[in-house]
Amino acid sequence: MTPKLKTILLSLGVALVVYALAGFLLAPRLVRSILLENLGKTLTTTPTLEAVRVNPFALSLTLRGFAIPEPGGKSGVPPAVAFDELHLRASILSPFYRAWTLDELRLEKPSVNAAILEDRTLSLFRLLREQPASGDSTSGEPPAVLVRQLRIADGSLAFEDRSRKQPLRKSLIPIQIELRDFTTRKDRENGYSFLARTERQEELEWRGSFTMRPFTSEGTLRVGNLQALTLEDFLGPENPYQFTAGTIDFAAKYKVDASRAPVKTGLHDMAVTIRGLAMTHRETGEEAISAASIQTRGGAVDALALQANLGQVVANGARIRLWMDESGKTNLQRWSRPPADSAAPSWITLIPRLEATGAELTFQERRIDPPVEIHVHGARVEMDGYSTKYGTVSPLSVACSLGTSGWAEAQGHFTSGTAATDLEVAMRDLDVRDLEGYIAPFSRIDLIRGTVGARGRFLWNSLGPGGPMLRFKGEVSSARFASLDGRHKKELLSWDRLEVKELEYDYAPSRVRIREIATVKPYIRFIIAPDMTTNLQGLQVPPDSLPVAFRPTSAPRDTMPVEIGVLKVQDGSMYFADLSLTPNFGTGIVGMNGTIRELSSAQAAHAAIDLTGKVD
């Protein structure tokens, strides 16, 4: 070996030893000093760093035990930002990639503790010092960066909202993020995955790809086992309702494209599954809405068009409990809030197809004591083309059981924005005893048996400003009806069959028109008391005994106009007694047949009576 070669090898050996000593021993101290010094100039609190390791041969840097404490540095308070280990390994091939290249960037157990403070500012901003404005206005394109493998393992995020009356605290543990071939180069695609779990075992998964310049991204989003209680935590106690049970699964494909203006953002192939949902009235804790399951498929969201399409919605076992309070408002009316007075465009929600099976509705009238209710169950609801856009007309079909034995179905249209409803309805076999709770506070009649049916057209808020709010036109029938005088427990009124033909009932303003009432085997008990009052007058509950909400006011009330073309009686009977006479008189009338025409509530109206029958 020549002296010159020995000198070269010795020089290389010395350089290698110096390089190794500088890398292993000097570089960690230098990196630590520079890092903490620069952070000290930027932060309002003093960061800590347990160890720094440099491997000059692997071109790697490892930081361990890093923490940025909260301002004030109280003992026992977790740091604002911390991590167990940050490992960086540079690539010797950076010149060939024409970018600052890292073969690996690994962050172990990072943690962030953030809070929205009482003044609505973010606590992390308090960590930064105010920096003097720079006079250098030059700007250039940032250098290209390439990270072959970026991984964040077992991260955690703790969030607290101290601006609320009841502070909100949530956390995500653990957070897993992985990116491969991440680069800031123009039009280069980066693949990534994100996975996190909360203390309630809720999962957030986010996978896809993106480019930095221009920024575009597409992939999939999935939220699993999201608890309704978590929604309640974020919504807070200001709402009149609260979520008490249920889980939500959400999945969708997303796309963001910032290469165009305005930025295009949207979701597609969206699916939502809700199980065991329950919502209660916050004041009373009473359950108002629940559902065994709700599923949506094929939904999409277009942020530019301000449109959310929920796709096909299928609900099973939905239950709604509705009650009317003393103010005359329902609980769901109290939940609704008037729209904000804003010129900002509003979102439109679409449901191309809605199906609900096994639905239930209970309506309770609490202005009556004790409260009475009517129950709708086993309902099936179908609606097509629903939209919140004003004036959208949607076909609607409903079928359900009523009370103990009744059945009802309806088909027609619903108009968004006005709640205008136009339905062809049919009802049969409703047991009159299901209505007794609504009748008892107003009249002393005991309902013994009977059924009610109806068929016709129901219009709600469909007749314009000049028309009534509600109109029903059709037929009403009743069979095997019997009732008692509630005071004396004597038979009062009954019939085998009653048919009301061509009925037209209006509400607000109110009016009744009937072409014909036909009765088969009707019976009535009519008694004149010694004081010249009748038993029918005694059936009415005095005004001061009515439920408070239904007592007449001092203002004069208009009598509802009633017109009946003809009342037909077939094979009727009657018991008549006049106890004002001495001696008392009483008799039975059977085989009654005939008509009573032109009945009207008008003050000057006269009816034409043509009835025949046998006395005793």
Side-chain angles (χ1 to χ4, degrees), residues 436-487:
E436 188 164 16
Y438 293 93
I439 296 175
F442 306 96
S443 63
R444 301 185 178 101
I445 299 176
D446 294 342
L447 303 180
I448 303 304
R449 68 172 186 271
T451 61
V452 176
R455 181 179 296 274
R457 186 181 181 189
F458 174 86
L459 298 168
W460 168 265
N461 204 31
S462 300
L463 298 170
M469 180 181 296
L470 178 151
R471 171 171 289 174
F472 173 78
K473 294 181 66 175
E475 320 287 330
V476 176
S477 62
S478 176
R480 300 177 299 280
F481 175 81
S483 63
L484 297 179
D485 184 322
R487 297 181 303 164

Side-chain angles (χ1 to χ4, degrees), residues 328-378:
K329 290 185 177 181
T330 67
N331 52 318
L332 296 189
Q333 282 179 295
R334 293 190 174 277
W335 287 15
S336 62
R337 294 180 175 178
D341 185 13
S342 172
S346 59
W347 278 73
I348 294 175
T349 301
L350 307 175
I351 304 179
R353 175 69 176 174
L354 169 65
E355 296 180 12
T357 57
E360 297 183 17
L361 169 66
T362 300
F363 176 76
Q364 191 175 71
E365 177 57 84
R366 297 187 175 179
R367 294 178 296 176
I368 297 175
D369 187 23
V372 296
E373 64 183 34
I374 189 166
H375 189 51
V376 176
H377 52 99

Side-chain angles (χ1 to χ4, degrees), residues 564-567 594-600 605-611:
I564 302 175
V566 59
L567 170 62
T595 61
I596 302 176
R597 297 181 179 276
E598 298 180 5
L599 288 164
S600 173
H606 293 79
I609 302 175
D610 182 9
L611 292 173

Side-chain angles (χ1 to χ4, degrees), residues 5-21 57:
L5 180 58
K6 288 182 179 181
T7 303
I8 293 174
L9 292 176
L10 181 61
S11 300
L12 289 175
V14 171
L16 184 62
V17 170
V18 172
Y19 174 74
L21 292 175
F57 299 109

Side-chain angles (χ1 to χ4, degrees), residues 169-359:
R169 297 178 179 87
K170 303 299 295 181
S171 61
L172 286 175
I173 302 173
I175 296 174
Q176 313 286 349
I177 300 176
E178 185 170 350
L179 287 84
R180 293 188 176 275
D181 294 329
F182 168 72
T183 179
T184 60
R185 286 178 177 175
K186 187 175 182 180
D187 297 327
R188 293 296 181 90
E189 192 172 88
N190 304 286
Y192 67 90
S193 64
F194 174 90
L195 179 64
R197 184 178 292 111
T198 71
E199 68 273 15
R200 289 176 173 159
Q201 300 305 305
E202 300 156 315
E203 292 185 353
L204 173 60
E205 186 177 357
W206 185 8
R207 299 180 184 274
S209 61
F210 65 92
T211 61
M212 292 297 295
R213 294 179 293 148
F215 182 80
T216 62
S217 180
E218 58 182 310
T220 60
L221 290 170
R222 186 184 70 83
V223 178
N225 197 40
L226 176 64
Q227 303 292 309
L229 296 177
T230 299
L231 291 180
E232 175 61 25
D233 290 342
F234 280 103
L235 292 174
E238 290 78 15
N239 293 305
Y241 57 86
Q242 60 181 347
F243 291 91
T244 56
T247 61
I248 303 170
D249 292 331
F250 170 87
K253 296 179 180 178
Y254 79 92
K255 188 171 184 178
V256 179
D257 186 357
S259 64
R260 50 186 293 180
V263 177
K264 184 176 182 180
T265 306
L267 302 174
H268 59 98
D269 292 346
M270 186 170 64
V272 180
T273 300
I274 304 174
R275 299 183 180 88
L277 176 70
M279 297 173 64
T280 63
H281 195 62
R282 191 177 299 277
E283 289 183 2
T284 63
E286 297 173 275
E287 185 177 289
I289 297 176
S290 63
S293 67
I294 301 174
Q295 292 183 317
T296 74
R297 292 291 182 271
V301 176
D302 189 335
L304 279 180
L306 298 180
Q307 181 172 290
N309 186 332
L310 301 185
Q312 181 177 359
V313 179
V314 178
N316 182 47
R319 298 185 298 275
I320 300 176
R321 187 172 181 83
L322 195 65
W323 60 82
M324 183 83 72
D325 60 21
E326 294 294 335
S327 68
K329 290 185 177 181
T330 67
N331 52 318
L332 296 189
Q333 282 179 295
R334 293 190 174 277
W335 287 15
S336 62
R337 294 180 175 178
D341 185 13
S342 172
S346 59
W347 278 73
I348 294 175
T349 301
L350 307 175
I351 304 179
R353 175 69 176 174
L354 169 65
E355 296 180 12
T357 57

